[in-house]
Amino acid sequence: MHPRPSSSRPAVLVGVVVVCCAVLALGWWSKARCLGEGAWSGGEQYTQWCYTDVYALWFSSGLSEGAPLYADHPGREHAVEYPVLTGAQMWAAARVAALTPPAQRAAAFFHATAALGAAAALATLGLLAAAGRPPRRLLWWAGAPTLALLAFVNWDPVPVALLVAGVVAHRRGRDGLAGVAAGLGAAAKLFPGLLVPLVVATRLAQGRRRDAAAHAGAAAAAWLAVNLPVLVTAPQGWRRFLDLNRERPADWDSLWYLAEQLRGSAFAVPTVNAASAALLVAGAAAIAVVGARRREPARWWELVLPLMAWFLLTNKVYSPQFSLFLLPLMALALPRAGPFVAFVAADVAVFAVRFPFLGGLTGLEPAPDYAWFGAAVVVRAAVLVWVILAAVRGQPARTAAGGVPYSGGGAGAGVGSGSGGR
């Protein structure tokens, strides 16, 4: 028999929502406090840890000049460097900002973006609760310092919510809906697309080829519905995201940049691209094979977490906000709290050193040298290896109520397992 749900759970969930709102308010204030008159004129975005891509992109994307998103400008100096659904978020926030006086539009653009991001963050919390996570697990997302620091650095809360929606829908046997969520998520940031091959492999292993095809088809259709209009009308602007990621060198937060510092010179960009791709494929294959052998197919979705962590380790870019994708996946699939706590601590350390270090590159003092920043990056990388090993091993965790074993399936894990995924 399953333990009877506690009558206090609704009150506890309200408390978790309040915590999440407080964390999001703190995250908003941490950026908004630097957006007054003369914003960023003294380097405070670095020295006061209040940098946000949202404010910077208002100017560099051409939105401040009214430039159309993804339009094929000469040299593409104003082309948006993000996938199309993220561009749609930018467009919506820009429309809100246009309703304000010109001098306030940059800040209004940030506030509108933050409002959308906060709604997506709360939606993620609701999805985790719907997945049956106990309140302590919900706090891994709602109360994480990482959420306060990074929720409004970029536009990632929306694809994070879509990734979690895809996982929850799949666990409930609604593979078509899971495909739509994953496809839309991939149209905003590529990471939610990692779910698709896992769901397809799961359904094929279960002999449910129709459900596998439905999921893949729904993901492709959703992605195409968002991308095709821009691809047809502004192909150069649409390719800007792909071109940038192919051409850019190793970013500061990556292990590739650390290797370059130890080497004393930069790698050729094509070399980094090829090596990182090879490492990603080899590691992902190992994670998939070992992880699949250690769990039944219905739980293969859990491997999204180690695959995502491995991607971040091997990629030449680890933007700070990418960590947001890991938090709800840890709440869903990580067997125990130790790796989660260590990751949050390491990620906060990287954040704390990163921005003063970047400020030092522009001449701001005092600033830590790269040795401090590199050390923080190494510690976080080591913790991510721990996360990968723990997630692949997939040992059962315990719920908060009565010590009932939790295998990662959670509420609804078996729903639709023999129903054809209706």
Side-chain angles (χ1 to χ4, degrees), residues 382-408:
V383 173
L384 282 175
V385 171
W386 184 15
V387 168
I388 291 170
L389 293 175
V392 169
R393 188 176 297 118
Q395 296 172 350
R398 298 272 176 182
T399 66
V404 178
Y406 161 64
S407 65

Side-chain angles (χ1 to χ4, degrees), residues 83-167:
V84 175
L85 194 58
T86 294
Q89 294 184 61
M90 298 172 71
W91 177 87
R95 301 285 73 74
V96 174
L99 302 176
T100 65
Q104 300 175 13
R105 285 177 185 168
F109 179 66
F110 167 78
H111 297 318
T113 302
L116 180 58
L122 289 169
T124 297
L125 178 60
L127 288 164
L128 291 174
R133 294 311 78 147
R136 279 186 288 183
R137 286 268 172 161
L138 297 180
L139 287 173
W140 289 19
W141 171 255
T146 300
L147 182 62
L149 295 175
L150 304 177
F152 307 125
V153 166
N154 201 274
W155 289 266
D156 291 63
V158 168
V160 168
L162 288 168
L163 173 57
V164 177
V167 170

Side-chain angles (χ1 to χ4, degrees), residues 37-409:
E37 187 175 352
W40 293 11
S41 59
E44 60 270 26
Q45 69 270 33
Y46 302 122
T47 60
Q48 298 184 35
W49 294 274
C50 56
Y51 175 83
T52 170
D53 287 331
V54 178
Y55 185 74
L57 266 293
W58 168 256
F59 301 100
S60 63
S61 68
L63 287 170
S64 62
E65 304 169 12
L69 292 176
Y70 301 103
D72 293 337
H73 299 279
R76 289 176 290 159
E77 66 272 20
H78 288 322
V80 172
E81 61 188 58
Y82 295 106
V84 175
L85 194 58
T86 294
Q89 294 184 61
M90 298 172 71
W91 177 87
R95 301 285 73 74
V96 174
L99 302 176
T100 65
Q104 300 175 13
R105 285 177 185 168
F109 179 66
F110 167 78
H111 297 318
T113 302
L116 180 58
L122 289 169
T124 297
L125 178 60
L127 288 164
L128 291 174
R133 294 311 78 147
R136 279 186 288 183
R137 286 268 172 161
L138 297 180
L139 287 173
W140 289 19
W141 171 255
T146 300
L147 182 62
L149 295 175
L150 304 177
F152 307 125
V153 166
N154 201 274
W155 289 266
D156 291 63
V158 168
V160 168
L162 288 168
L163 173 57
V164 177
V167 170
V168 173
H170 165 61
R171 291 171 66 249
R172 294 185 171 186
R174 303 185 65 182
D175 293 322
L177 181 59
V180 171
L184 291 176
K189 279 284 171 76
L190 295 181
F191 303 133
L194 293 172
L195 179 65
V196 176
L198 291 174
V199 173
V200 170
T202 292
R203 295 314 185 204
L204 290 177
Q206 295 171 333
R208 297 166 57 181
R209 289 177 292 179
R210 183 175 298 178
D211 291 336
H215 177 78
W223 186 89
L224 283 171
V226 173
N227 282 273
L228 198 57
V230 178
L231 176 59
V232 170
T233 59
Q236 286 185 311
W238 181 87
R239 286 198 302 268
R240 173 61 177 158
F241 168 73
L242 300 176
D243 293 342
L244 174 66
N245 283 278
R246 184 181 67 252
E247 298 165 358
R248 70 191 300 178
D251 206 17
W252 297 290
D253 303 62
S254 71
L255 292 176
W256 290 103
Y257 187 82
L258 172 66
E260 290 177 343
Q261 298 307 299
L262 296 174
R263 181 174 184 251
S265 61
F267 296 109
V269 172
T271 299
V272 176
N273 291 345
S276 62
L279 287 171
L280 174 62
V281 171
I287 288 169
V289 170
V290 176
R293 288 178 176 175
R294 296 188 65 91
R295 52 181 48 79
E296 60 186 6
R299 291 177 52 202
W300 286 359
W301 63 266
E302 296 173 359
L303 299 178
V304 174
L305 171 57
L307 287 172
M308 177 75 191
W310 181 247
F311 183 96
L312 295 180
L313 279 175
T314 57
N315 196 27
K316 64 181 180 180
V317 178
Y318 188 152
S319 295
Q321 70 276 3
F322 291 172
S323 293
L324 291 173
F325 286 89
L326 296 175
L327 298 181
L329 295 179
M330 290 181 183
L332 285 165
L334 198 61
R336 55 187 182 274
F340 166 78
V341 173
F343 172 75
V344 170
D347 205 46
V348 170
V350 171
F351 180 90
V353 181
R354 180 186 202 268
F355 287 100
F357 165 73
L358 294 181
L361 297 182
T362 68
L364 296 174
E365 297 291 345
D369 59 26
Y370 179 75
W372 290 97
F373 185 34
V377 168
V378 168
V379 170
R380 182 176 65 182
V383 173
L384 282 175
V385 171
W386 184 15
V387 168
I388 291 170
L389 293 175
V392 169
R393 188 176 297 118
Q395 296 172 350
R398 298 272 176 182
T399 66
V404 178
Y406 161 64
S407 65

